[in-house]
Each structure stands twice: as C-alpha cells, then as structure tokens.
Amino acid sequence: MGTIYAVANQKGGVGKTTTAVNLAACIAEAGYETLLLDIDPQANATVGVGLDKRLEPSVYELLSGEATIEQVVVPTSVAHLWVAPASPDLAGANVELPRIPGSERRLREALRGVRDRYAFTLLDCPPSLGPLTVNALVAADRVLVPVQAEYFALEGLAGLLDTLKLIQRELNPRLSISGMVVTMYDARTRLAQDVQNEVRTHFPDLVFDTVVPRNVRVGEAPSFGKPVIHHDPHSAGAAAYFELAKEVAARG
Ligand SMILES: Nc1ncnc2c1ncn2[C@@H]1O[C@H](COP(=O)(O)OP(=O)(O)OP(=O)(O)O)[C@@H](O)[C@H]1O
Ligand SMILES: [Mg+2]
C-alpha cells in the first residue's frame, strides 16, 4: 500500500516544487515506484523533470473527468519516477471546480488504485489554499510543509494548520502532518539561524532534522530539466534531499 503526500504551503516560493521534485527523485533512486503529480498551473514540477507543460492529457483532464490517471501518467528520464503533468489550463479548474458539488473529492476519486502501483505519490501544490490545494489535501495521507528560512517564514503557518484541521474534520480524517522542512537555509546568516530556531520552538515535534541548504546546484537543476541528484549528485543539495527522503520514509 503506497502513501500519498501533499507538498503544501500557501506562501509562494518557499521550496514546494523543489522539495516535491527532489524528494520524488531520491525515493525513485532507492528503487520505489514513485509518482509526482503536478497540481499547480505554473507546471514547475513538470518542467523541472524535463517535460513539456503543454502535454495532454494533463492533471486538468484528470480533474475534469476527461482522462484517467493511467492516461495522464508519463515516464521520466529517471528510473522508477513517473509524472502526472500539469498544464496552464489548471488555472481554469480554480474557477470550474467550486461550481461542482463535491468537487473537493475529485482528485481523491481519480487516484483510487494509485496506491497499488506507486509506493510514494507526491502532490506538488500551488501557492494558495484554493480548490486545487484542497483537492490535494483531501486526496493525501500526509502533508509535507516546506518552510523557507527567511523573515515571515512563520506567517501563514498557523492558517495552514487551521486549514489542515478543518480538512481532517470535514473531508479527510486520515490526513496527518508528515513534517515541516526548513529550506534555502543559508548558514552564514544570522537570520536563517534565527528563523530555524523559531520554527523548531513553535513546532518542536514537526520539523525534520534535515535542513535543505541554499545551494546553487539545486536552484539551477530545473533549467536542465533534472532533479539535483542527477544534475550534481555530489552537491550539498543532493545530500540534503537524500537525508530528507530517509527521514520522511522513517516517519511512515
Ligand atoms: N535549496 C535551494 N537552493 C537554491 N535555490 C532554491 C532552493 N530551493 C528552491 N530554490 C529556488 O527558489 C525558487 C522557489 O522555489 P520553488 O519553486 O521550489 O518554490 P515553490 O514553493 O514551489 O514556489 P511556488 O509557490 O511559486 O510554487 C526557485 O527558483 C527554486 O529553484
Ligand atoms: Mg511550486
């Protein structure tokens, strides 16, 4: 039985896509069948693994019921890593979904049976708590929250946790928090250290030990359409994502 993780934080640019892509690649590298599902109209995860964001059918057709997950999933150049690509059309789903009663469960229904094929499924969410993220949280077993080691990092986390509680209560009782991961950590700055300490003080049980450093190789890997472990396997970023993958798997 596989596990579905939503990588979510309504704050933009905190490392959701980077974490989803690189965690998925590390898990696949360990030999597990892994599905990366891109539910963000920006389609950064799709492009980040070297695919075109105009592929059809995409997660848009999956949500609108025009395609099945089998039809949407495509292989990547990474062994054991599969992608359900996003397309800019997904922006339309933000408007269309709320008009359909019960649309919060669309993705969950579309992913029925996915656990039999993939040990790990990662959902890369857009930077909002709108209908697409709600669909991901209803479909998921666990939420992984990247937190950027910058000022304002904690802002919005309380709201995110409130949303998670609401979804647990109303729509998805099995949802739990896998953990929070500090990203883009620059050890040379006092600010990054302070932010890390603050996040750990506020959420002592939730924050993973692994901290993802700010690393040029991580930042440039998407422009080569590759996860960092293939772009530069010896980089500090690749090492961090391997460690994070171990921690995530160990938490179950
Ligand atoms: N550890 C890192 N080191 C260097 N650059 C990074 C790192 N993590 C992320 N970045 C860069 O920071 C930017 C934002 O990261 P990313 O796209 O993963 O955030 P996001 O939360 O998915 O953004 P959005 O909210 O727009 O979806 C990207 O340009 C990415 O390449
Ligand atoms: Mg993103």
Side-chain angles (χ1 to χ4, degrees), residues 11-18 40 42 127 184 212-215 218-219 222:
K11 191 183 266 298
V14 297
K16 291 181 289 295
T17 300
T18 304
D40 183 353
Q42 298 180 97
M184 290 180 253
V212 180
R214 184 174 279 286
N215 179 260
V218 171

Side-chain angles (χ1 to χ4, degrees), residues 15-115:
K16 291 181 289 295
T17 300
T18 304
T19 298
V21 165
N22 289 299
L23 204 53
C26 289
I27 296 167
E29 186 79 8
Y32 296 99
E33 294 308 313
T34 306
L35 174 62
L36 174 64
L37 186 143
D38 189 351
I39 193 167
D40 183 353
Q42 298 180 97
N44 293 340
T46 303
V47 174
V49 292
L51 297 175
D52 197 297
K53 62 174 166 190
R54 288 172 302 261
L55 288 176
E56 271 188 44
S58 71
V59 169
Y60 175 77
E61 281 78 20
L62 182 69
L63 287 175
S64 60
E66 292 160 55
T68 63
I69 187 69
E70 290 81 6
Q71 291 168 323
V72 169
V73 169
V74 290
T76 69
S77 59
V78 179
H80 310 294
L81 179 62
W82 305 80
V83 168
S87 80
D89 293 344
L90 268 174
N94 269 321
V95 185
E96 293 154 21
L97 284 172
R99 296 191 191 135
I100 309 164
S103 65
E104 307 88 358
R105 293 186 174 82
R106 280 269 163 130
L107 185 63
R108 177 189 190 144
E109 279 153 21
L111 293 184
R112 205 169 274 160
V114 90
R115 286 187 183 77

Side-chain angles (χ1 to χ4, degrees), residues 96-166:
E96 293 154 21
L97 284 172
R99 296 191 191 135
I100 309 164
S103 65
E104 307 88 358
R105 293 186 174 82
R106 280 269 163 130
L107 185 63
R108 177 189 190 144
E109 279 153 21
L111 293 184
R112 205 169 274 160
V114 90
R115 286 187 183 77
D116 301 334
R117 265 164 293 154
Y118 304 101
F120 292 86
T121 297
L122 282 90
L123 314 175
D124 183 29
C125 296
S128 89
L129 292 174
L132 292 170
T133 298
V134 169
N135 255 274
L137 295 173
V138 173
D141 306 303
R142 312 259 186 280
V143 196
L144 203 118
V145 183
V147 179
Q148 187 182 0
E150 289 289 352
Y151 197 58
F152 295 133
L154 275 87
E155 199 162 275
L157 284 182
L160 177 60
L161 297 183
D162 285 345
T163 302
L164 293 178
K165 279 193 200 120
L166 186 75

